[in-house]
Amino acid sequence: VVRTVCTETEELVDNEVCYYVYNKEKQEAEATTVKVEYETKCEEETQKVCPEQQYGHQGYCKTVKNQVCYNVPVVSPDKTGVTVGYPVPQKKCENKPVKLPKVKCDEVSEEKCFQLPFTSEETETLEKCTTELGHPKCEQTPIKLPRQVCVQKQKAYKAAPAYHAPAPAYHAPAPAYPAPVQFSHAPYTG
């Protein structure tokens, strides 16, 4: 008998896993900005000045020139040194072994014995008995039959008829084989 037997084992297989980490690096750079300076700008303005009313009379108004000054921003480009930080990717790899199931099958042969019926020819002697009829055997057997007796009637009285049936004195056994039977009759007397 051949049967298949399978066994399961686990096998460690190397598995490289890679990923990225980001490190911060610094670098000196030149940045261009603007520089704001202010310059004074003056302008003349003419204003009409009227004195306050006194004693119910309106005074005379006169024109006065005034100088008004204000700061005006002036923008100019300006370069300066700065430190810049930026992420730098770094690749890292690690070995993460994994377990893989492994199935191995083999064919196994096994010897098994069992009994089978078989036939064989044999001779056996048997005894057979039979019956046969023999020669007939005849015997003379007397048979007695009942007798009838007749009585003459008389006028003087009534007599009952006398009828005698004697039982046979001899019972003949049944013959084993059919045999001739001889009858003997008694003489009739009336």
mmCIF file with all atom_site columns, all heavy atoms in Angstrom, residues 82-93:
data_model
loop_
_atom_site.group_PDB
_atom_site.id
_atom_site.type_symbol
_atom_site.label_atom_id
_atom_site.label_alt_id
_atom_site.label_comp_id
_atom_site.label_asym_id
_atom_site.label_entity_id
_atom_site.label_seq_id
_atom_site.pdbx_PDB_ins_code
_atom_site.Cartn_x
_atom_site.Cartn_y
_atom_site.Cartn_z
_atom_site.occupancy
_atom_site.B_iso_or_equiv
_atom_site.pdbx_formal_charge
_atom_site.auth_seq_id
_atom_site.auth_comp_id
_atom_site.auth_asym_id
_atom_site.auth_atom_id
_atom_site.pdbx_PDB_model_num
ATOM 1  N N   . VAL A 1 82 ? 21.816 84.725 5.689  1.00 0.00 ? 82 VAL A N   1
ATOM 2  C CA  . VAL A 1 82 ? 20.885 83.996 6.557  1.00 0.00 ? 82 VAL A CA  1
ATOM 3  C C   . VAL A 1 82 ? 21.305 82.521 6.613  1.00 0.00 ? 82 VAL A C   1
ATOM 4  O O   . VAL A 1 82 ? 22.022 82.035 5.744  1.00 0.00 ? 82 VAL A O   1
ATOM 5  C CB  . VAL A 1 82 ? 19.426 84.097 6.049  1.00 0.00 ? 82 VAL A CB  1
ATOM 6  C CG1 . VAL A 1 82 ? 18.913 85.524 6.191  1.00 0.00 ? 82 VAL A CG1 1
ATOM 7  C CG2 . VAL A 1 82 ? 19.309 83.611 4.625  1.00 0.00 ? 82 VAL A CG2 1
ATOM 8  N N   . THR A 1 83 ? 20.838 81.817 7.644  1.00 0.00 ? 83 THR A N   1
ATOM 9  C CA  . THR A 1 83 ? 21.064 80.370 7.786  1.00 0.00 ? 83 THR A CA  1
ATOM 10 C C   . THR A 1 83 ? 19.745 79.656 7.465  1.00 0.00 ? 83 THR A C   1
ATOM 11 O O   . THR A 1 83 ? 18.729 79.902 8.120  1.00 0.00 ? 83 THR A O   1
ATOM 12 C CB  . THR A 1 83 ? 21.522 80.034 9.203  1.00 0.00 ? 83 THR A CB  1
ATOM 13 O OG1 . THR A 1 83 ? 22.735 80.765 9.483  1.00 0.00 ? 83 THR A OG1 1
ATOM 14 C CG2 . THR A 1 83 ? 21.795 78.542 9.346  1.00 0.00 ? 83 THR A CG2 1
ATOM 15 N N   . VAL A 1 84 ? 19.822 78.799 6.470  1.00 0.00 ? 84 VAL A N   1
ATOM 16 C CA  . VAL A 1 84 ? 18.613 78.101 6.006  1.00 0.00 ? 84 VAL A CA  1
ATOM 17 C C   . VAL A 1 84 ? 18.691 76.640 6.439  1.00 0.00 ? 84 VAL A C   1
ATOM 18 O O   . VAL A 1 84 ? 19.727 75.990 6.269  1.00 0.00 ? 84 VAL A O   1
ATOM 19 C CB  . VAL A 1 84 ? 18.483 78.197 4.466  1.00 0.00 ? 84 VAL A CB  1
ATOM 20 C CG1 . VAL A 1 84 ? 17.235 77.480 4.000  1.00 0.00 ? 84 VAL A CG1 1
ATOM 21 C CG2 . VAL A 1 84 ? 18.464 79.654 4.032  1.00 0.00 ? 84 VAL A CG2 1
ATOM 22 N N   . GLY A 1 85 ? 17.575 76.131 7.003  1.00 0.00 ? 85 GLY A N   1
ATOM 23 C CA  . GLY A 1 85 ? 17.480 74.702 7.373  1.00 0.00 ? 85 GLY A CA  1
ATOM 24 C C   . GLY A 1 85 ? 16.512 73.988 6.425  1.00 0.00 ? 85 GLY A C   1
ATOM 25 O O   . GLY A 1 85 ? 15.437 74.495 6.123  1.00 0.00 ? 85 GLY A O   1
ATOM 26 N N   . TYR A 1 86 ? 16.882 72.777 5.963  1.00 0.00 ? 86 TYR A N   1
ATOM 27 C CA  . TYR A 1 86 ? 16.032 72.023 5.035  1.00 0.00 ? 86 TYR A CA  1
ATOM 28 C C   . TYR A 1 86 ? 16.200 70.527 5.320  1.00 0.00 ? 86 TYR A C   1
ATOM 29 O O   . TYR A 1 86 ? 17.241 70.085 5.779  1.00 0.00 ? 86 TYR A O   1
ATOM 30 C CB  . TYR A 1 86 ? 16.382 72.358 3.578  1.00 0.00 ? 86 TYR A CB  1
ATOM 31 C CG  . TYR A 1 86 ? 17.825 72.094 3.215  1.00 0.00 ? 86 TYR A CG  1
ATOM 32 C CD1 . TYR A 1 86 ? 18.224 70.880 2.672  1.00 0.00 ? 86 TYR A CD1 1
ATOM 33 C CD2 . TYR A 1 86 ? 18.800 73.074 3.429  1.00 0.00 ? 86 TYR A CD2 1
ATOM 34 C CE1 . TYR A 1 86 ? 19.543 70.650 2.349  1.00 0.00 ? 86 TYR A CE1 1
ATOM 35 C CE2 . TYR A 1 86 ? 20.124 72.842 3.113  1.00 0.00 ? 86 TYR A CE2 1
ATOM 36 C CZ  . TYR A 1 86 ? 20.494 71.618 2.570  1.00 0.00 ? 86 TYR A CZ  1
ATOM 37 O OH  . TYR A 1 86 ? 21.807 71.388 2.258  1.00 0.00 ? 86 TYR A OH  1
ATOM 38 N N   . PRO A 1 87 ? 15.148 69.730 5.034  1.00 0.00 ? 87 PRO A N   1
ATOM 39 C CA  . PRO A 1 87 ? 15.240 68.297 5.301  1.00 0.00 ? 87 PRO A CA  1
ATOM 40 C C   . PRO A 1 87 ? 16.011 67.569 4.196  1.00 0.00 ? 87 PRO A C   1
ATOM 41 O O   . PRO A 1 87 ? 15.867 67.870 3.019  1.00 0.00 ? 87 PRO A O   1
ATOM 42 C CB  . PRO A 1 87 ? 13.767 67.842 5.329  1.00 0.00 ? 87 PRO A CB  1
ATOM 43 C CG  . PRO A 1 87 ? 13.069 68.817 4.458  1.00 0.00 ? 87 PRO A CG  1
ATOM 44 C CD  . PRO A 1 87 ? 13.799 70.132 4.602  1.00 0.00 ? 87 PRO A CD  1
ATOM 45 N N   . VAL A 1 88 ? 16.833 66.620 4.618  1.00 0.00 ? 88 VAL A N   1
ATOM 46 C CA  . VAL A 1 88 ? 17.605 65.798 3.684  1.00 0.00 ? 88 VAL A CA  1
ATOM 47 C C   . VAL A 1 88 ? 17.182 64.340 3.885  1.00 0.00 ? 88 VAL A C   1
ATOM 48 O O   . VAL A 1 88 ? 17.309 63.816 4.998  1.00 0.00 ? 88 VAL A O   1
ATOM 49 C CB  . VAL A 1 88 ? 19.119 65.968 3.914  1.00 0.00 ? 88 VAL A CB  1
ATOM 50 C CG1 . VAL A 1 88 ? 19.906 65.041 2.989  1.00 0.00 ? 88 VAL A CG1 1
ATOM 51 C CG2 . VAL A 1 88 ? 19.535 67.417 3.716  1.00 0.00 ? 88 VAL A CG2 1
ATOM 52 N N   . PRO A 1 89 ? 16.636 63.680 2.842  1.00 0.00 ? 89 PRO A N   1
ATOM 53 C CA  . PRO A 1 89 ? 16.228 62.276 3.031  1.00 0.00 ? 89 PRO A CA  1
ATOM 54 C C   . PRO A 1 89 ? 17.438 61.340 3.119  1.00 0.00 ? 89 PRO A C   1
ATOM 55 O O   . PRO A 1 89 ? 18.426 61.505 2.412  1.00 0.00 ? 89 PRO A O   1
ATOM 56 C CB  . PRO A 1 89 ? 15.378 61.990 1.790  1.00 0.00 ? 89 PRO A CB  1
ATOM 57 C CG  . PRO A 1 89 ? 15.901 62.927 0.758  1.00 0.00 ? 89 PRO A CG  1
ATOM 58 C CD  . PRO A 1 89 ? 16.334 64.176 1.480  1.00 0.00 ? 89 PRO A CD  1
ATOM 59 N N   . GLN A 1 90 ? 17.291 60.349 4.002  1.00 0.00 ? 90 GLN A N   1
ATOM 60 C CA  . GLN A 1 90 ? 18.329 59.339 4.158  1.00 0.00 ? 90 GLN A CA  1
ATOM 61 C C   . GLN A 1 90 ? 17.658 57.960 4.127  1.00 0.00 ? 90 GLN A C   1
ATOM 62 O O   . GLN A 1 90 ? 16.720 57.702 4.880  1.00 0.00 ? 90 GLN A O   1
ATOM 63 C CB  . GLN A 1 90 ? 19.077 59.527 5.480  1.00 0.00 ? 90 GLN A CB  1
ATOM 64 C CG  . GLN A 1 90 ? 20.195 58.508 5.681  1.00 0.00 ? 90 GLN A CG  1
ATOM 65 C CD  . GLN A 1 90 ? 20.886 58.683 7.023  1.00 0.00 ? 90 GLN A CD  1
ATOM 66 O OE1 . GLN A 1 90 ? 20.536 59.582 7.791  1.00 0.00 ? 90 GLN A OE1 1
ATOM 67 N NE2 . GLN A 1 90 ? 21.859 57.833 7.304  1.00 0.00 ? 90 GLN A NE2 1
ATOM 68 N N   . LYS A 1 91 ? 18.134 57.100 3.236  1.00 0.00 ? 91 LYS A N   1
ATOM 69 C CA  . LYS A 1 91 ? 17.550 55.767 3.078  1.00 0.00 ? 91 LYS A CA  1
ATOM 70 C C   . LYS A 1 91 ? 18.181 54.812 4.075  1.00 0.00 ? 91 LYS A C   1
ATOM 71 O O   . LYS A 1 91 ? 19.396 54.731 4.192  1.00 0.00 ? 91 LYS A O   1
ATOM 72 C CB  . LYS A 1 91 ? 17.771 55.262 1.653  1.00 0.00 ? 91 LYS A CB  1
ATOM 73 C CG  . LYS A 1 91 ? 17.113 53.933 1.363  1.00 0.00 ? 91 LYS A CG  1
ATOM 74 C CD  . LYS A 1 91 ? 17.339 53.522 -0.091 1.00 0.00 ? 91 LYS A CD  1
ATOM 75 C CE  . LYS A 1 91 ? 16.665 52.196 -0.401 1.00 0.00 ? 91 LYS A CE  1
ATOM 76 N NZ  . LYS A 1 91 ? 16.881 51.765 -1.806 1.00 0.00 ? 91 LYS A NZ  1
ATOM 77 N N   . LYS A 1 92 ? 17.305 54.062 4.784  1.00 0.00 ? 92 LYS A N   1
ATOM 78 C CA  . LYS A 1 92 ? 17.765 53.056 5.731  1.00 0.00 ? 92 LYS A CA  1
ATOM 79 C C   . LYS A 1 92 ? 17.089 51.734 5.395  1.00 0.00 ? 92 LYS A C   1
ATOM 80 O O   . LYS A 1 92 ? 15.907 51.702 5.050  1.00 0.00 ? 92 LYS A O   1
ATOM 81 C CB  . LYS A 1 92 ? 17.443 53.461 7.166  1.00 0.00 ? 92 LYS A CB  1
ATOM 82 C CG  . LYS A 1 92 ? 18.318 54.576 7.704  1.00 0.00 ? 92 LYS A CG  1
ATOM 83 C CD  . LYS A 1 92 ? 18.068 54.788 9.181  1.00 0.00 ? 92 LYS A CD  1
ATOM 84 C CE  . LYS A 1 92 ? 19.000 55.835 9.763  1.00 0.00 ? 92 LYS A CE  1
ATOM 85 N NZ  . LYS A 1 92 ? 18.806 56.010 11.228 1.00 0.00 ? 92 LYS A NZ  1
ATOM 86 N N   . CYS A 1 93 ? 17.837 50.672 5.497  1.00 0.00 ? 93 CYS A N   1
ATOM 87 C CA  . CYS A 1 93 ? 17.302 49.341 5.213  1.00 0.00 ? 93 CYS A CA  1
ATOM 88 C C   . CYS A 1 93 ? 17.577 48.431 6.401  1.00 0.00 ? 93 CYS A C   1
ATOM 89 O O   . CYS A 1 93 ? 18.663 48.476 6.992  1.00 0.00 ? 93 CYS A O   1
ATOM 90 C CB  . CYS A 1 93 ? 17.919 48.739 3.941  1.00 0.00 ? 93 CYS A CB  1
ATOM 91 S SG  . CYS A 1 93 ? 17.480 49.636 2.427  1.00 0.00 ? 93 CYS A SG  1
#
